[in-house]
Each structure stands twice: as structure tokens, then as C-alpha cells.
Amino acid sequence: MDKLPAVLAMIEEQFTVSAEFMRDIATGFQQAMSAGLAGKPSSLKMLPSFIGSPTGREQGKVIAVDFGGTNVRVLLVELAGKGQANIIDKRSAPLKDRSGNYDYTSAAASGSELFDFIAGKISEIAPAGGTYPLGHTFSFPCRQDGVNEAVLISWTKEIKTTGVEGLNVGQLLQNALELRGVWHVQSLAVINDTTGTLLATAYTDTATSIGAICGTGHNSCYLEPCHPLTSQPMIVNLESGNFDGIRQTEYDILLDQASEKPGAQRLEKMASGQYLGELVRLIVNGLTTDGHISKSSDRLRIPYSVTTEDISPILADASPELNAVANLAATRWGIQGLTISELEAIKTAALLVTMRSARLAAATWAGVLFKIDPALSRRHTIAVDGSLYEKMPGYADNLFKAMAEIFGDKAKQVTIKLSKDGSGIGAAIAAATVYNAR
Ligand code: BGC
């Protein structure tokens, strides 16, 4: 008897996040926020940014560095005030060369090599004859003692570069700039990419309360109305990817155990683009091992042999023959000749994994709203950037639907919007804020 439908139903049950479950997660998240803010044990780091909401009047030409872990982008941004930001010039380079010439993310690379590479990109873009403030988006958990004092706590997203953890990344960049003789650029602010996303949207929309990244990594920040350190409004980086209040499936456990840092970043490993492809592979591999899918291959057993980008065409595939799924199985795993129900099983795995990701993210945002405005008495904008939100078919819709399930009618108070280039523009706004306050 064909057991595939029954097995799939069991997998579906494990990955389903009901409305009630989302509300429970939100409540747990809210409690973890309060504990973290009060300095009690919590999986949420609640890292202060020492920066509040922008006024929209920040002005000037600023260099922004956006270091996310896959690429480094350097922008020359003109802030015109009145919420207007224009990117005048930009450079982007991968941190890992596809042809294998360099890899600044591996344990063989040092922090000074990495920051020298970034300084090189900055020198290409900083026009001679002026001085430029620099804002640096560094998309990893940093302990901050001031807006320009950011010490990397630990790498995430499987990055392993040596000689950066425990050090002040603003200083590392400044040193690298000076070693290259780039004296006319001064690093003034280091922010998380979620903070950048929030700042860039808040530049034009004063209702912005949450900034989030749904991309290679996953994280959110929010505007705390009265921070215990300053009694002023301050953006707090939740490092919500580390939230541990969600039940793991057997696939999450397998993925976590084989990861660079087992036990860390549990939500991120369930929700971010770095891992969704691998979760799909683990499900499909389990189905072949147990004989529910008839064909297998050695390549299917290679971790991360399918990426999250590979999943997008599968989700969009409405062809009766499921061409995109068959193509993925053939090109990534060398598996051909699967039946339609086997191909459907692979598509179902992709749908379940991505839908769960969106619903978990939405549940954590609901947790933030439970904390700052439980009655949803005013409008809230959630600014989001990242490849999942922007490009994954159905992802943005799933977020929106999840919010409606959690809040019912009141969900109309909540707007989720794309903060395109937000992490870069936000870095420029942060640097301009510091520069103008001097
Ligand atoms: C990092 C966060 C970052 C997120 C999105 C996570 O791995 O810990 O600091 O905001 O990725 O880039």
C-alpha cells in the first residue's frame, strides 16, 4: 500500500502552526522580551542600539556599508531631509568568490583580511576632496555600549572568519581604512540590519515600530518607548533568531545538530533562507530512506545540496507535470523519473517549510505588539527587508494572513511593508544622526 500520503500528513502536522499556536508563541515571545530587557535569563538578547527614531530631517552625503554575510555592499547616499534618500553610487561584492579565489567567511580568513576587503570597496566609492561620515550595518549580534561601540558576540549564519568575535567591529573597519590611507571617511555608527530597516522606513513613516529581516538570516528589532538605560525611546535589537520558545520537529533537530553552533539560533534555523532549503532536503531524504520515494542518490545526502533560491521556482510551479520540481530533483540531486505523487511530495515539503517560516516570523511580531501596544490602539508599520520577503512566492501573503488570524479585525492597524535597501539607507541615517548631533 502507498504510505506516502499518510507520511506526508504526519509531516504536515509537525510543520503546521495554527492560529492558537501563533498566539502562544507571541505570548512566550513577549515574556522573553520583558525578561531580557530586565536583564533576566532570556533567549532574546535585547541589545540596545543607542539610537531612536529618525526625525526625517537628517541630511548630507554619507557612506553606508552593508555587511550581511553573503555580500558586502557599499553605498554613497545623499540624504535630502524630508524623508528623501538617494543612492548616488554603489558597489557590491560577494564575500565568497564563486570561482574559489577567496572566501572571507571561512575559518582560514582573518578579520583583518575581511575588513581590508571592505575598506577597499569603500575607497572605490568615497569621492576625493571631501570628508564623509560612515554608517556601518553589521548584521550579527553585537553588544553595544554606544552607537559606535559594537562588539561581535558571536558569528551566526555559519560564518567562521577568525579574529572578529569579541572585538569592536567599528574599530576594525576604521583601522582597515587608515591602513589603506583612506583618511577622509570616518566610521560613526554601527547598527544591526534590522535597525537599518526600521530607520529607513521610519524616515518617512512615523508609525514604524518594528524592523525585520526575512532573508539569509532572520531577526527583528523594535522601538522600545522607554528604554531602562536612558528612559528614552531606543531601538532594541531582539536577536529574535535565537528565540528558543518553539517546539522543534525531528528535522529541525537534525539540522541543528549538524550545524556550526548546535543549540544556538533555533528560530533562525526554522525560519531563515540559510536553512529552508536544507530542511526541504532533510524531509525528502527521510522519505527516500524510508522508501516512500522510490529513487535516491548520493547527492541528496549532501547537506545544503539544495538552497532556498532553488525552492522559489518549485513554489511557483503550477504545471501539471511539476516541471520545476522534476528539474530540481534532476539538477541538484541527479534523481530522474519520479512519479507525480513523489514530485508532489517534494513540493509539499517546500510549501510546508516556507509557510511555517512566515507564520513563525509573524507570531514573533505579534509578540512585540502584545508588549508595546496590546490593544492595538494605533497604527504600526513593520518594515521588512530580505530575499524571502521580497522574492519567495507567497511569503509576504502568508505573513499578512497570519497577522489577520492572530489579530482579527484589528490587524488593519498593522502594515507590513518592504524596506528596499533599508539596511544600507538606515546605516546612512544613523551616521547622519550622529554627525549632526556633534
Ligand atoms: C543575525 C542578526 C541579523 C540577522 C539578519 C542573524 O543571523 O544574528 O544580527 O539581523 O541574521 O541578517
Side-chain angles (χ1 to χ4, degrees), residues 16 21 25 42-43 51 68 70 75 84 163 225 249 296 301 316 329 342 365 369 383 391 393 437:
T16 298
F21 188 21
I25 293 171
S42 169
S43 62
I51 200 151
T70 314
L75 312 173
Q84 258 197 320
T249 66
S296 186
R301 283 185 280 278
E342 290 170 335
W365 299 338
L369 296 172
K391 299 194 187 124

PDB file of all heavy atoms in Angstrom, residues 16 21 25 42-43 51 68 70 75 84 163 225 249 296 301 316 329 342 365 369 383 391 393 437:
ATOM      1  N   THR A  16       2.728  22.412  10.907  1.00  0.00           N
ATOM      2  CA  THR A  16       1.609  23.352  10.921  1.00  0.00           C
ATOM      3  C   THR A  16       1.655  24.233  12.169  1.00  0.00           C
ATOM      4  O   THR A  16       1.841  23.747  13.284  1.00  0.00           O
ATOM      5  CB  THR A  16       0.277  22.580  10.864  1.00  0.00           C
ATOM      6  OG1 THR A  16       0.265  21.858   9.642  1.00  0.00           O
ATOM      7  CG2 THR A  16      -0.924  23.524  10.901  1.00  0.00           C
ATOM      8  N   PHE A  21      -1.548  28.397  18.170  1.00  0.00           N
ATOM      9  CA  PHE A  21      -0.124  28.187  18.413  1.00  0.00           C
ATOM     10  C   PHE A  21       0.631  29.512  18.209  1.00  0.00           C
ATOM     11  O   PHE A  21       1.524  29.873  18.989  1.00  0.00           O
ATOM     12  CB  PHE A  21       0.346  27.075  17.471  1.00  0.00           C
ATOM     13  CG  PHE A  21       1.741  26.572  17.703  1.00  0.00           C
ATOM     14  CD1 PHE A  21       2.392  26.735  18.918  1.00  0.00           C
ATOM     15  CD2 PHE A  21       2.423  25.886  16.679  1.00  0.00           C
ATOM     16  CE1 PHE A  21       3.684  26.255  19.115  1.00  0.00           C
ATOM     17  CE2 PHE A  21       3.711  25.414  16.866  1.00  0.00           C
ATOM     18  CZ  PHE A  21       4.346  25.602  18.086  1.00  0.00           C
ATOM     19  N   ILE A  25       2.939  31.428  20.886  1.00  0.00           N
ATOM     20  CA  ILE A  25       4.333  31.835  20.617  1.00  0.00           C
ATOM     21  C   ILE A  25       4.482  33.327  20.931  1.00  0.00           C
ATOM     22  O   ILE A  25       5.449  33.757  21.570  1.00  0.00           O
ATOM     23  CB  ILE A  25       4.717  31.554  19.140  1.00  0.00           C
ATOM     24  CG1 ILE A  25       4.741  30.050  18.882  1.00  0.00           C
ATOM     25  CG2 ILE A  25       6.063  32.177  18.788  1.00  0.00           C
ATOM     26  CD1 ILE A  25       4.906  29.655  17.416  1.00  0.00           C
ATOM     27  N   SER A  42      17.118  34.993  29.337  1.00  0.00           N
ATOM     28  CA  SER A  42      16.173  35.002  28.218  1.00  0.00           C
ATOM     29  C   SER A  42      16.925  34.605  26.961  1.00  0.00           C
ATOM     30  O   SER A  42      18.111  34.923  26.824  1.00  0.00           O
ATOM     31  CB  SER A  42      15.596  36.411  28.045  1.00  0.00           C
ATOM     32  OG  SER A  42      14.886  36.504  26.824  1.00  0.00           O
ATOM     33  N   SER A  43      16.229  33.930  26.031  1.00  0.00           N
ATOM     34  CA  SER A  43      16.909  33.615  24.768  1.00  0.00           C
ATOM     35  C   SER A  43      16.938  34.848  23.860  1.00  0.00           C
ATOM     36  O   SER A  43      17.560  34.822  22.800  1.00  0.00           O
ATOM     37  CB  SER A  43      16.228  32.431  24.067  1.00  0.00           C
ATOM     38  OG  SER A  43      14.891  32.748  23.736  1.00  0.00           O
ATOM     39  N   ILE A  51      20.215  54.327  19.600  1.00  0.00           N
ATOM     40  CA  ILE A  51      19.655  55.210  18.571  1.00  0.00           C
ATOM     41  C   ILE A  51      18.128  55.107  18.631  1.00  0.00           C
ATOM     42  O   ILE A  51      17.593  54.031  18.901  1.00  0.00           O
ATOM     43  CB  ILE A  51      20.247  54.843  17.180  1.00  0.00           C
ATOM     44  CG1 ILE A  51      20.090  55.992  16.210  1.00  0.00           C
ATOM     45  CG2 ILE A  51      19.670  53.602  16.579  1.00  0.00           C
ATOM     46  CD1 ILE A  51      21.179  56.013  15.179  1.00  0.00           C
ATOM     47  N   GLY A  68      26.237  41.801   5.324  1.00  0.00           N
ATOM     48  CA  GLY A  68      25.197  40.884   5.776  1.00  0.00           C
ATOM     49  C   GLY A  68      25.653  39.446   5.926  1.00  0.00           C
ATOM     50  O   GLY A  68      24.977  38.642   6.534  1.00  0.00           O
ATOM     51  N   THR A  70      26.606  37.469   3.127  1.00  0.00           N
ATOM     52  CA  THR A  70      26.746  36.861   1.806  1.00  0.00           C
ATOM     53  C   THR A  70      27.531  37.822   0.905  1.00  0.00           C
ATOM     54  O   THR A  70      28.480  37.429   0.246  1.00  0.00           O
ATOM     55  CB  THR A  70      25.353  36.600   1.172  1.00  0.00           C
ATOM     56  OG1 THR A  70      24.527  36.000   2.164  1.00  0.00           O
ATOM     57  CG2 THR A  70      25.449  35.693  -0.025  1.00  0.00           C
ATOM     58  N   LEU A  75      27.557  51.923  -0.243  1.00  0.00           N
ATOM     59  CA  LEU A  75      26.703  52.894  -0.923  1.00  0.00           C
ATOM     60  C   LEU A  75      27.168  54.311  -0.612  1.00  0.00           C
ATOM     61  O   LEU A  75      27.621  54.584   0.508  1.00  0.00           O
ATOM     62  CB  LEU A  75      25.253  52.796  -0.433  1.00  0.00           C
ATOM     63  CG  LEU A  75      24.584  51.423  -0.351  1.00  0.00           C
ATOM     64  CD1 LEU A  75      23.231  51.549   0.327  1.00  0.00           C
ATOM     65  CD2 LEU A  75      24.415  50.859  -1.749  1.00  0.00           C
ATOM     66  N   GLN A  84      13.755  61.996   2.253  1.00  0.00           N
ATOM     67  CA  GLN A  84      14.244  61.563   0.927  1.00  0.00           C
ATOM     68  C   GLN A  84      15.682  61.074   0.974  1.00  0.00           C
ATOM     69  O   GLN A  84      16.571  61.796   1.436  1.00  0.00           O
ATOM     70  CB  GLN A  84      14.190  62.741  -0.018  1.00  0.00           C
ATOM     71  CG  GLN A  84      12.999  62.685  -0.938  1.00  0.00           C
ATOM     72  CD  GLN A  84      13.221  63.628  -2.089  1.00  0.00           C
ATOM     73  OE1 GLN A  84      13.727  64.732  -1.911  1.00  0.00           O
ATOM     74  NE2 GLN A  84      12.846  63.183  -3.267  1.00  0.00           N
ATOM     75  N   GLY A 163      39.206  35.956  14.449  1.00  0.00           N
ATOM     76  CA  GLY A 163      39.679  37.262  14.898  1.00  0.00           C
ATOM     77  C   GLY A 163      38.659  38.374  14.756  1.00  0.00           C
ATOM     78  O   GLY A 163      39.037  39.519  14.498  1.00  0.00           O
ATOM     79  N   PRO A 225       9.592  52.165  23.712  1.00  0.00           N
ATOM     80  CA  PRO A 225       9.188  53.538  24.022  1.00  0.00           C
ATOM     81  C   PRO A 225       9.972  54.148  25.184  1.00  0.00           C
ATOM     82  O   PRO A 225      10.213  55.357  25.208  1.00  0.00           O
ATOM     83  CB  PRO A 225       7.708  53.412  24.396  1.00  0.00           C
ATOM     84  CG  PRO A 225       7.287  52.046  23.952  1.00  0.00           C
ATOM     85  CD  PRO A 225       8.496  51.195  23.791  1.00  0.00           C
ATOM     86  N   THR A 249      10.775  20.235  15.225  1.00  0.00           N
ATOM     87  CA  THR A 249      10.421  18.935  14.629  1.00  0.00           C
ATOM     88  C   THR A 249      11.689  18.080  14.593  1.00  0.00           C
ATOM     89  O   THR A 249      12.791  18.579  14.826  1.00  0.00           O
ATOM     90  CB  THR A 249       9.931  19.100  13.172  1.00  0.00           C
ATOM     91  OG1 THR A 249      11.038  19.568  12.393  1.00  0.00           O
ATOM     92  CG2 THR A 249       8.781  20.084  13.061  1.00  0.00           C
ATOM     93  N   SER A 296      16.740   7.467  -4.962  1.00  0.00           N
ATOM     94  CA  SER A 296      17.589   8.330  -4.139  1.00  0.00           C
ATOM     95  C   SER A 296      18.916   8.550  -4.862  1.00  0.00           C
ATOM     96  O   SER A 296      19.110   8.075  -5.978  1.00  0.00           O
ATOM     97  CB  SER A 296      17.814   7.678  -2.779  1.00  0.00           C
ATOM     98  OG  SER A 296      18.507   8.595  -1.964  1.00  0.00           O
ATOM     99  N   ARG A 301      22.156  13.155  -0.240  1.00  0.00           N
ATOM    100  CA  ARG A 301      22.624  13.034   1.143  1.00  0.00           C
ATOM    101  C   ARG A 301      23.654  14.107   1.497  1.00  0.00           C
ATOM    102  O   ARG A 301      24.122  14.185   2.627  1.00  0.00           O
ATOM    103  CB  ARG A 301      23.172  11.629   1.382  1.00  0.00           C
ATOM    104  CG  ARG A 301      22.030  10.610   1.555  1.00  0.00           C
ATOM    105  CD  ARG A 301      22.537   9.242   1.913  1.00  0.00           C
ATOM    106  NE  ARG A 301      23.010   8.517   0.742  1.00  0.00           N
ATOM    107  CZ  ARG A 301      22.211   7.860  -0.106  1.00  0.00           C
ATOM    108  NH1 ARG A 301      20.908   7.805   0.108  1.00  0.00           N
ATOM    109  NH2 ARG A 301      22.705   7.234  -1.152  1.00  0.00           N
ATOM    110  N   ALA A 316       6.360  28.261  -7.251  1.00  0.00           N
ATOM    111  CA  ALA A 316       5.624  28.953  -8.312  1.00  0.00           C
ATOM    112  C   ALA A 316       5.157  27.970  -9.394  1.00  0.00           C
ATOM    113  O   ALA A 316       4.444  28.356 -10.314  1.00  0.00           O
ATOM    114  CB  ALA A 316       6.528  30.017  -8.930  1.00  0.00           C
ATOM    115  N   ALA A 329      15.044  18.068  -8.806  1.00  0.00           N
ATOM    116  CA  ALA A 329      15.486  16.725  -8.415  1.00  0.00           C
ATOM    117  C   ALA A 329      16.598  16.249  -9.356  1.00  0.00           C
ATOM    118  O   ALA A 329      17.588  15.652  -8.921  1.00  0.00           O
ATOM    119  CB  ALA A 329      14.305  15.758  -8.438  1.00  0.00           C
ATOM    120  N   GLU A 342       5.318  11.573  -6.142  1.00  0.00           N
ATOM    121  CA  GLU A 342       6.608  11.813  -5.470  1.00  0.00           C
ATOM    122  C   GLU A 342       7.037  13.277  -5.652  1.00  0.00           C
ATOM    123  O   GLU A 342       7.526  13.910  -4.712  1.00  0.00           O
ATOM    124  CB  GLU A 342       7.671  10.855  -6.025  1.00  0.00           C
ATOM    125  CG  GLU A 342       7.412   9.414  -5.587  1.00  0.00           C
ATOM    126  CD  GLU A 342       8.300   8.389  -6.294  1.00  0.00           C
ATOM    127  OE1 GLU A 342       8.777   8.652  -7.423  1.00  0.00           O
ATOM    128  OE2 GLU A 342       8.498   7.310  -5.723  1.00  0.00           O
ATOM    129  N   TRP A 365       6.376  38.951  15.717  1.00  0.00           N
ATOM    130  CA  TRP A 365       5.992  40.366  15.605  1.00  0.00           C
ATOM    131  C   TRP A 365       4.748  40.629  16.447  1.00  0.00           C
ATOM    132  O   TRP A 365       4.621  41.688  17.070  1.00  0.00           O
ATOM    133  CB  TRP A 365       5.750  40.753  14.140  1.00  0.00           C
ATOM    134  CG  TRP A 365       6.968  40.573  13.284  1.00  0.00           C
ATOM    135  CD1 TRP A 365       8.280  40.528  13.731  1.00  0.00           C
ATOM    136  CD2 TRP A 365       7.032  40.384  11.870  1.00  0.00           C
ATOM    137  NE1 TRP A 365       9.127  40.332  12.670  1.00  0.00           N
ATOM    138  CE2 TRP A 365       8.403  40.233  11.518  1.00  0.00           C
ATOM    139  CE3 TRP A 365       6.080  40.341  10.864  1.00  0.00           C
ATOM    140  CZ2 TRP A 365       8.822  40.043  10.205  1.00  0.00           C
ATOM    141  CZ3 TRP A 365       6.497  40.149   9.552  1.00  0.00           C
ATOM    142  CH2 TRP A 365       7.849  40.009   9.225  1.00  0.00           C
ATOM    143  N   LEU A 369       4.098  43.404  19.427  1.00  0.00           N
ATOM    144  CA  LEU A 369       2.917  44.284  19.521  1.00  0.00           C
ATOM    145  C   LEU A 369       2.174  44.033  20.838  1.00  0.00           C
ATOM    146  O   LEU A 369       1.676  44.980  21.457  1.00  0.00           O
ATOM    147  CB  LEU A 369       2.005  44.083  18.303  1.00  0.00           C
ATOM    148  CG  LEU A 369       2.663  44.496  16.979  1.00  0.00           C
ATOM    149  CD1 LEU A 369       1.799  44.094  15.786  1.00  0.00           C
ATOM    150  CD2 LEU A 369       2.925  46.008  16.945  1.00  0.00           C
ATOM    151  N   ALA A 383       8.580  47.127   9.063  1.00  0.00           N
ATOM    152  CA  ALA A 383       9.424  47.290   7.876  1.00  0.00           C
ATOM    153  C   ALA A 383      10.247  46.033   7.701  1.00  0.00           C
ATOM    154  O   ALA A 383      10.942  45.612   8.629  1.00  0.00           O
ATOM    155  CB  ALA A 383      10.349  48.492   8.073  1.00  0.00           C
ATOM    156  N   LYS A 391      11.189  37.961  -2.482  1.00  0.00           N
ATOM    157  CA  LYS A 391      11.176  37.100  -3.686  1.00  0.00           C
ATOM    158  C   LYS A 391      10.474  35.763  -3.546  1.00  0.00           C
ATOM    159  O   LYS A 391      10.085  35.176  -4.540  1.00  0.00           O
ATOM    160  CB  LYS A 391      12.622  36.829  -4.118  1.00  0.00           C
ATOM    161  CG  LYS A 391      13.355  38.103  -4.464  1.00  0.00           C
ATOM    162  CD  LYS A 391      14.638  37.805  -5.206  1.00  0.00           C
ATOM    163  CE  LYS A 391      15.464  39.057  -5.403  1.00  0.00           C
ATOM    164  NZ  LYS A 391      16.814  38.933  -4.870  1.00  0.00           N
ATOM    165  N   PRO A 393       7.796  33.169  -3.520  1.00  0.00           N
ATOM    166  CA  PRO A 393       6.365  33.248  -3.854  1.00  0.00           C
ATOM    167  C   PRO A 393       5.485  32.926  -2.640  1.00  0.00           C
ATOM    168  O   PRO A 393       5.704  31.916  -1.963  1.00  0.00           O
ATOM    169  CB  PRO A 393       6.204  32.171  -4.942  1.00  0.00           C
ATOM    170  CG  PRO A 393       7.562  31.977  -5.507  1.00  0.00           C
ATOM    171  CD  PRO A 393       8.543  32.261  -4.406  1.00  0.00           C
ATOM    172  N   ALA A 437      24.575  65.528  15.392  1.00  0.00           N
ATOM    173  CA  ALA A 437      24.442  65.811  16.828  1.00  0.00           C
ATOM    174  C   ALA A 437      25.762  66.298  17.427  1.00  0.00           C
ATOM    175  O   ALA A 437      25.815  66.668  18.595  1.00  0.00           O
ATOM    176  CB  ALA A 437      23.983  64.530  17.538  1.00  0.00           C
TER     177      ALA A 437
END
